[in-house]
Amino acid sequence: PDDLSETRDRVAEIAEYADHVIVVPKANGIIDEIMTWPKVILGYSVPTKYGATDVPVWEFAQHPVHLLGGGPKAQLDLSRFMNVISADCKAHFRAAGYGQYYDTSLRSQKITDAQKQDDAGLRSAFRLSCRNILDAWKKDYDVNSQGNHNR
């Protein structure tokens, strides 16, 4: 909360060059003020072994959110409680580098050893993850759009 004024000034400066500015709240009770700033989208740090936010999920619930970090399954699970408008793809990009992809149930699978040996195989793993993750989100949306869903 003590840094809000400085953060607002930085956001205003960045907003001159960007359509949207992602702000990651680091304290409880400040989101409503942050959302009065122009061009702001909230960033939510998906809990991983590397870190997480202390701000509870419900404070983000009614606002547009970009998910930072975490795997595709954790991101999809969070989308049921937040208005997720975008999510990073580091997990499946990194997985492709190790010759892995995410299947439609968002579990990591290995590509064949032959595919790992060339760039085309690694690109295929990344594309396959992208396709499967998108299909999982679409399926989840179709199933959950009948009830109380934030999307």
Side-chain angles (χ1 to χ4, degrees), residues 46-66:
V46 178
T48 67
K49 64 182 179 180
Y50 301 108
T53 183
D54 291 332
V55 180
V57 170
W58 57 83
E59 287 196 35
F60 292 81
Q62 301 305 315
H63 305 288
V65 176
H66 171 80

Side-chain angles (χ1 to χ4, degrees), residues 1 11 24 29 43 50-51 66 74 87 94 108-109 122-123 134:
V11 167
V24 182
Y50 301 108
H66 171 80
R94 184 176 46 233
S108 181
Q109 304 291 330
L122 300 181
R123 284 193 302 272
L134 181 60

Side-chain angles (χ1 to χ4, degrees), residues 138-151:
K138 285 179 179 178
K139 179 181 176 186
D140 186 75
Y141 180 77
D142 289 344
V143 167
N144 290 306
S145 64
Q146 305 303 318
N148 253 345
H149 207 272
N150 286 325
R151 294 187 206 164

Side-chain angles (χ1 to χ4, degrees), residues 92-93 95-103 109-112 115-116 118-133:
H92 54 288
F93 180 76
Y98 290 107
Q100 298 174 332
Y101 68 94
Y102 287 92
D103 64 17
Q109 304 291 330
K110 290 187 179 281
I111 59 175
T112 67
Q115 290 173 312
K116 281 191 231 178
D118 65 11
D119 288 342
L122 300 181
R123 284 193 302 272
S124 293
F126 181 72
R127 275 195 299 275
L128 187 55
S129 284
C130 291
R131 186 176 313 121
N132 290 338
I133 292 166

Side-chain angles (χ1 to χ4, degrees), residues 14-30:
I14 294 167
E16 292 180 31
Y17 305 99
D19 292 334
H20 305 286
V21 180
I22 297 173
V23 176
V24 182
K26 302 290 185 176
N28 295 345
I30 62 173

